[in-house]
Amino acid sequence: MTKKDVATFLEYAACSTCRKAKQWLDKNGVDYQSVPIVEKPPSAGELSRLVKQSGLPVQKWFNTSGQSYRALVDRIGKEGLAKMGDAAKLELLAADGKMIKRPVLIAADKVLVGFDEQAYRSLAR
């Protein structure tokens, strides 16, 4: 990604990791369009595409420290979630933006989930 490319940054304003990632993007001159993930969560179809691009399994897209995830586990148990197929998991993620691990940075053909400064640095070159 060059500094002329505009990335898409899916974030939750109350998330400290999102704020830290945004500060890094601003400091390093990376242009991005911010999208509020809670108000405008990606559709299941879009998530399917993003998951494939990220190279991560669907399970890694869950915000396991969030209240939405904990409520889900309380309802169906970790075993119940593990038994679900990817399509069902994508539907859960699409239904609740707080369930998605964040931030999500979409830059050209790369998708990064969470904030890892080294991974962000590799995109900014």
Side-chain angles (χ1 to χ4, degrees), residues 89 115 123:
K89 289 177 183 176
F115 176 60
L123 288 179

Side-chain angles (χ1 to χ4, degrees), residues 2-33:
T2 67
K3 290 189 178 186
K4 292 181 182 179
D5 294 329
V6 177
T8 301
F9 186 72
L10 305 178
E11 67 165 324
Y12 176 51
C15 169
S16 61
T17 305
C18 294
R19 288 192 302 269
K20 186 176 177 180
K22 253 178 126 165
Q23 286 175 345
W24 189 94
L25 292 170
D26 291 340
K27 180 181 170 188
N28 288 277
V30 177
D31 289 332
Y32 60 90
Q33 175 186 2

Side-chain angles (χ1 to χ4, degrees), residues 54-123:
S54 75
L56 297 172
V58 175
Q59 189 60 41
K60 293 287 185 179
W61 279 69
F62 281 89
N63 175 19
T64 58
S65 62
Q67 292 177 349
S68 292
Y69 178 83
R70 288 194 300 257
L72 174 68
V73 169
D74 285 347
R75 265 193 341 267
I76 66 171
K78 284 187 179 182
E79 300 79 21
L81 183 58
K83 289 178 185 177
M84 286 181 138
D86 285 354
K89 289 177 183 176
L90 290 169
E91 290 293 335
L92 286 172
L93 291 169
D96 184 353
K98 286 186 178 180
M99 189 95 61
I100 301 171
K101 184 173 181 171
R102 51 197 182 260
V104 177
L105 182 66
I106 306 158
D109 63 341
K110 301 284 185 189
V111 176
L112 301 177
V113 181
F115 176 60
D116 175 348
E117 188 173 335
Q118 188 172 2
Y120 272 48
R121 201 175 307 125
S122 72
L123 288 179

